[in-house]
Amino acid sequence: MKKMMNLAKLEKTGVIAVVRGATKEEAIKASEALIAGGVTGIELTFTVPQADETIKELVESYQDQPDVIIGAGTVLDATTARLAIMAGAEFVVSPYFDVETAKICNLYQIPYLPGCMTITEMKEALKYGADIIKLFPGSAFGPSIVKAFKAPLPQLNIMPTGGVSLANMEEWFEAGVVAVGVGGNLLAPAAMGDFAAVTEMAKQYMDKFHSIKG
């Protein structure tokens, strides 16, 4: 039940922000700025210092806002996945498919979104219960690849990450993806400490998403 609710939240939010940061403080401020702009799906990467503590703080801060969903990104192994889940992560994203990570996520009923580039990887991920496949890097393909992957595997739920922008977001959704992961394009101002610009950018992405979904 918990897993289904989290998957529904991910699909509803549509735009998942990939949050990196040189410090824990920067990552928290960036996440707050995104949520203020309406981007309620946050993938906090484990490249952020003290990532598990950061996830815990964010989960606690937004526990009264049911639309907000906080997950962990750049999860390289099952140990890190468990650390993230114990901190309150509601979904787990990795740059590649890992069997042990899939098993730990299934054990705790947490959606697992592994990065895949080939039909073989995608098939393997599905076998181990991956709910959404992160097409990574999306910039290596473009939206037209989605139909090609879904032809033999129509049950695939795809989320492209890398190379998704305001300009091509509509093409991705028209191709049949369930959500998009956005990092650099959305968060560039955060590195300069301009969090107001992050909020503004988040609003533009959400306005675009809502206009696509009508």
Side-chain angles (χ1 to χ4, degrees):
M1 191 65 189
K2 174 184 173 185
K3 191 179 192 180
M4 298 314 293
M5 280 168 62
N6 287 352
L7 285 166
K9 268 196 210 180
L10 284 170
E11 197 167 344
K12 187 183 173 200
T13 189
V15 178
I16 314 299
V18 183
V19 178
R20 302 187 184 278
T23 64
K24 176 184 170 185
E25 290 69 32
E26 186 190 314
I28 286 175
K29 281 182 180 167
S31 300
E32 289 169 347
L34 288 159
I35 293 166
V39 171
T40 52
I42 304 292
E43 177 193 324
L44 198 287
T45 66
F46 262 79
T47 55
V48 172
Q50 301 147 317
D52 56 327
E53 289 174 27
T54 312
I55 288 167
K56 191 170 189 286
E57 276 186 40
L58 287 168
V59 168
E60 285 170 0
S61 295
Y62 292 97
Q63 60 188 356
D64 297 332
Q65 293 188 35
D67 284 349
V68 174
I69 181 162
I70 311 287
T74 322
V75 173
L76 304 184
D77 51 44
T79 307
T80 310
R82 188 176 184 278
L83 197 64
I85 293 164
M86 293 298 108
E90 295 169 286
F91 62 98
V92 167
V93 186
S94 60
Y96 45 73
F97 172 67
D98 178 70
V99 171
E100 295 308 316
T101 302
K103 287 178 183 175
I104 205 94
C105 289
N106 284 337
L107 179 65
Y108 289 100
Q109 286 295 286
I110 295 293
Y112 176 44
L113 290 68
C116 298
M117 280 182 87
T118 68
I119 206 89
T120 306
E121 289 174 304
M122 290 175 186
K123 181 211 74 165
E124 203 60 17
L126 288 177
K127 263 172 50 179
Y128 286 96
D131 303 285
I132 296 173
I133 302 296
K134 176 171 99 160
L135 182 64
F136 177 75
S139 53
F141 297 106
S144 61
I145 197 71
V146 175
K147 285 194 173 80
F149 282 138
K150 283 174 80 79
L153 295 171
Q155 71 275 30
L156 266 185
N157 292 315
I158 292 178
M159 177 183 84
T161 301
V164 177
S165 66
L166 277 171
N168 66 16
M169 201 164 110
E170 188 163 1
E171 282 179 70
W172 281 109
F173 278 106
E174 281 176 355
V177 303
V178 292
V180 294
V182 187
N185 290 330
L186 186 52
L187 281 145
M192 272 83 81
D194 188 354
F195 297 103
V198 173
T199 297
E200 192 45 52
M201 208 65 194
K203 283 179 181 161
Q204 288 180 38
Y205 269 87
M206 291 319 290
D207 285 349
K208 184 81 177 170
F209 174 67
H210 291 134
S211 78
I212 293 165
K213 290 294 177 182

